[in-house]
Structures are given as structure tokens and as C-alpha cells.
Amino acid sequence: MKVAFAVDENRGLDSLISHRFGRAEYFVIVDTDTNSYKVVRNPGAEARSGAAIKAIQLLIKEGVRKVYAGSFGPNAMTALEEMGIEYVQLSGVPVKEALS
Amino acid sequence: MIEISVASGKGGVGKSTVSATIALRIAQTGRKLVVVDADADAPNMHLILGIDSWDWERPYSDSWVAQINQDLCTACGECYKVCPYQAIYVQEGRYYINEVICEGCYTCTLVCPVKGAIVRRQTESGRLRGVNTKYGFPLISARLNPGRPNSGKLVTEEKGIARGMSPDVVLVDSAAGIGCQVVSSLAGANMAILVAEPTPSSFNALKRVHKLTKHFMQPSAVVINKYDVNEGLTREIEEYAQENNMDLLGKVPYDDSIPKSMALMRPVTEAFPDSPASKALLSVADRVLEILDNWADWFRAFRPKRPEPYRPLIIKPEGI
């Protein structure tokens, strides 16, 4: 399963989970089946508005089923539920800690 | 780091006056504070603090407009016919784009028969600026150009600058409404201070913005400004706050020392420290200091017990 983590500074699996979802700078996307990961820029960070929607479009394209961030706005929560992507509120801890 | 957002839903109810008082008081205690004016449409914190120049200022761009390349344009006028905003005008047989009206939708590029005659160009939306105030804390502010929409991205950028200074407290003076920029002002904040006045419109707006703070599971406090202009409605707001486990920080009376201090471009608590409004505002600020001193207990007591997600209305196109 692919799990995404919203982060502001790219330090691989040591990146700290951001307090934001839609406007986080990157997503660390971990494939728990192959134990591999990649880091992608979040197009929502550059959006004037509708940031969460752009972020979710990316997650859908990447096949992500679960996402971690500190907070999810009203539009983010609704769209994630519509798309059946599980979301977990957690921030300030490294990605690898959240994984274990 | 504790981030406090001051919001109200309705504009003009006293957010900035309350924010300025709290900011001055926090700075006096020696805590490292950064204040963010998150209302780039009508920034006013610098006016209350008497700031007339900035330590740094830089352009901020997040919007695009269409631009006609006059060398390539054949003046066929197709763009002029389709522009949904009527942002294209003719002058002596040539076509030009009014950048204030252009929304950057690029409908014009779809009908333009000449490749490269209409291009996308990033335009300056406004300016970001900052200053070290004489009150001992930096202020981060932004100012939008006319016609440029406020954005959550701009507020996020302002808050990012503030957080980057690693202060003990970030105080965000939010814009009115519950739109994108207010969502960004509240997102990530540890505490919301909601300012209301006893009028039906302000009470209604308070409930709307409170839906957002409940969504983010933020502990909320309430300040009632001009409480004595309608004591019946003030009681209703107090009851609402109590029923919803919001901390009532205090009530500020109507007092013309506030508009007078604004005209002087000075915080009211400094210009007229003995006025009834100043005394009430200072007592509100002292309550905030108590909260900061007993943060963990206060947070536990006033944090919403369960999430109450704010569901926007979804309109789905047919067939999806």
C-alpha cells in the first residue's frame, strides 16, 4: 500500500510531518509492499487557492491510499473521504517513526 | 511555539485592536513574539502600531495575466469577442489587456489564431514586508494590489516567515470572513481568539468562524467588544460561548478612546491607558498571559472533545 506524508523540508524518511496538508511543500510517498519511497513536490503549495484539491489530485495519480498531516481543512477532508483515502492527523514526528 | 489566531468572521469588530493589545502585553513579559497581519486586502496592524516605513519589502506574485504581443498580433479582434471579463480594449485599432480586470483564464489564447501572440505573464499581486516594531516584536505584513485576490498561499508565506524566526508565540491577526485566507490563518494555530460585538451580523459570523475552529479542533476563546451597546445580545453571546466550551476572556465597553487612538496611530492602551476600553483590553491581555503560563491545562480544558468536521456543500456535475 502507498502511504503519503506531508512534509515541509525534504530529508527523506527523516522529514518531519508538516502541520499542514494542502500547503505542505512535499509528499514523502512510501510503498509499504516494496519498502521503497519517493519524494514529490506538492503542487498545492504553489496554488493561490484550492491547494488541498491539487494535492489530492497528485495523491490519486500516485495511487496513495493513506495520508498523514497535522491538519486537514474542510475541503481536504471532504475530498479525501469522497476519494476513499484514509487520513491521519499527526505532525512534528519523523516519517520513519510514523511508519513503525 | 504557540500560534494564536485572532478571527471574527465579520470585519470591523475589533480584531486588530484586541490583537495589538495582546501583542504589546506578551512582548512586555519578555516572550519572543512575532505578529502577522494576515489581512492583505486591508492591512491595518501597522497603522495601529504607528509604523510608516518597513525594514524590508519584496514583491509577491501568485497570479498570471494574459499579455498581447503587439509584434505578432494581427488585430483580428477574436480575443476581444470572447473575453468573459471584458478585460480587452481597443485603442487606435490595436488590442490591449487591462491587467486589473484580467483573471488569467486564457480564454483569449484558445481563439487567438496566431501562435505566441497572447502569452501568460506572472504579475505582481502585492508586496510582503516586515519591520521590527518599537514595541519589541517584529511585524510581518502584506499588501495586495487592487483587483488581486487574497490567497491562502500569501498567508501561509507570511506565517512561514514568522515561524522561521523561532519565536515563543506567533500572533496572527486574521482577515474577516471564513474564506481561503482565514482557513490558512487558522490552520496550524494552537488557539483561536474570536472577537464579536453584540450585533446580529457579528454573532452570526462568530458562529460561522467557530465552525472552522471546531473543524480544526482548536480551543477557542471569545472577546466581546462594545458589549454595552446591546447587553441582551451580549448575554446571548456569553451563553453561546459557555454552551460551546469557549473561554470568555472579557468584555470591552464602547469607548471613543479607541477611534481617537486610531487617529493618533497609537495603540489605545498606550495613548489612553486609563480609559475604560484600555482597562478592559488589558484585562483580556492578562488572561492570555495566564493561558500561556498554564498552557497545557488550558489547552486540555478548552480543546473540543470530539472532531466536528465542517462539511462544505458539494455540487456534483451530472453523470459523475
Side-chain angles (χ1 to χ4, degrees):
Chain A
M1 185 175 76
K2 283 188 178 167
V3 185
F5 299 85
V7 308
D8 289 321
E9 236 179 289
N10 176 13
R11 278 183 267 150
L13 294 178
D14 291 318
S15 312
L16 299 179
I17 299 174
S18 170
H19 64 289
R20 305 267 342 235
F21 166 68
R23 294 193 179 281
E25 295 291 333
Y26 304 92
F27 284 107
V28 178
I29 300 174
V30 180
D31 189 334
T32 55
D33 299 327
T34 59
N35 268 328
S36 60
Y37 77 93
K38 68 172 179 176
V39 181
V40 286
R41 277 204 79 86
N42 172 19
E46 286 303 312
R48 190 164 67 198
S49 59
I53 303 306
K54 292 186 178 68
I56 292 166
Q57 283 168 345
L58 170 80
L59 299 186
I60 293 167
K61 204 179 85 198
E62 296 287 343
V64 168
R65 304 302 309 151
K66 187 176 182 179
V67 60
Y68 286 72
S71 63
F72 298 86
N75 289 333
M77 251 185 207
T78 308
L80 285 168
E81 282 168 17
E82 285 281 314
M83 299 317 300
I85 299 174
E86 192 186 340
Y87 55 89
V88 182
Q89 285 188 26
L90 184 70
S91 68
V93 301
V95 170
K96 63 180 176 199
E97 208 170 287
L99 270 170
S100 59
Chain B
M1 190 187 326
I2 293 175
E3 187 177 306
I4 305 172
S5 276
V6 181
S8 65
K10 186 184 176 301
V13 299
K15 277 185 302 295
S16 301
T17 301
V18 168
S19 301
T21 310
I22 294 170
L24 260 59
R25 201 70 192 88
I26 291 175
Q28 279 168 4
T29 63
R31 283 185 175 81
K32 204 174 159 198
L33 168 77
V34 182
V35 174
V36 173
D37 187 346
D39 186 357
D41 273 320
N44 58 5
M45 185 56 87
H46 63 292
L47 299 177
I48 291 180
L49 299 174
I51 289 155
D52 46 23
S53 66
W54 302 92
D55 294 344
W56 60 268
E57 196 168 348
R58 62 175 159 90
Y60 170 77
S61 302
D62 70 358
S63 42
W64 282 262
V65 290
Q67 190 178 30
I68 296 173
N69 184 341
Q70 295 297 339
D71 294 339
L72 296 175
C73 175
T74 59
C76 68
E78 289 301 315
C79 57
Y80 177 82
K81 287 186 219 157
V82 299
C83 177
Y85 300 98
Q86 293 167 357
I88 299 172
Y89 61 95
V90 203
Q91 209 167 22
E92 290 166 7
R94 305 297 305 174
Y95 291 86
Y96 300 93
I97 289 168
N98 181 334
E99 290 192 3
V100 175
I101 301 173
C102 178
E103 292 270 326
C105 71
Y106 309 119
T107 305
C108 50
T109 62
L110 300 176
V111 298
C112 180
V114 184
K115 197 171 183 287
I118 305 179
V119 292
R120 259 167 83 102
R121 192 170 67 79
Q122 198 164 33
T123 176
E124 185 178 310
S125 312
R127 300 186 86 82
L128 267 165
R129 62 263 174 104
V131 65
N132 272 312
T133 68
K134 62 176 173 182
Y135 301 102
F137 57 84
L139 169 68
I140 310 297
S141 173
R143 179 183 64 93
L144 281 167
N145 295 339
R148 294 294 140 219
N150 202 336
S151 77
K153 185 178 173 234
L154 176 54
V155 172
T156 305
E157 200 149 323
E158 288 186 85
K159 293 207 325 188
I161 296 169
R163 284 170 167 262
M165 296 172 165
S166 314
D168 303 319
V169 181
V170 177
L171 185 71
V172 181
D173 186 21
S174 144
I178 56 167
C180 189
Q181 69 268 39
V182 178
V183 170
S184 282
S185 295
L186 289 169
N190 308 94
M191 167 185 189
I193 297 178
L194 307 181
V195 183
E197 59 182 22
T199 60
S201 57
S202 175
F203 189 17
N204 185 49
L206 171 81
K207 290 175 187 166
R208 281 164 66 79
V209 75
H210 181 223
K211 279 188 184 174
L212 273 183
T213 65
K214 283 190 288 188
H215 173 96
F216 286 119
M217 284 190 80
Q218 284 158 337
S220 303
V222 176
V223 177
I224 306 176
N225 192 16
K226 306 177 203 168
Y227 79 90
D228 48 351
V229 301
N230 185 339
E231 303 216 20
L233 207 45
T234 290
R235 264 192 303 280
E236 282 184 43
I237 297 173
E238 284 176 292
E239 280 163 19
Y240 177 84
Q242 205 167 13
E243 281 164 20
N244 289 281
N245 194 35
M246 301 157 92
D247 193 3
L248 186 69
L249 297 184
K251 298 186 283 186
V252 182
Y254 178 82
D255 181 348
D256 64 5
S257 66
I258 291 182
K260 278 181 187 160
S261 69
M262 284 176 182
L264 295 170
M265 290 178 73
R266 290 175 69 193
V268 63
T269 50
E270 189 194 66
F272 304 104
D274 297 323
S275 66
S278 288
K279 285 182 177 159
L281 283 164
L282 282 172
S283 131
V284 165
D286 283 336
R287 287 275 291 112
V288 175
L289 291 182
E290 278 175 39
I291 289 168
L292 292 176
D293 284 337
N294 303 289
W295 176 253
D297 290 340
W298 187 85
F299 187 82
R300 217 171 301 126
F302 289 99
R303 182 168 213 228
K305 297 293 170 271
R306 54 181 191 283
E308 263 183 71
Y310 190 2
R311 294 279 175 243
L313 191 65
I314 306 172
I315 299 165
K316 285 186 189 168
E318 262 175 72
I320 290 184

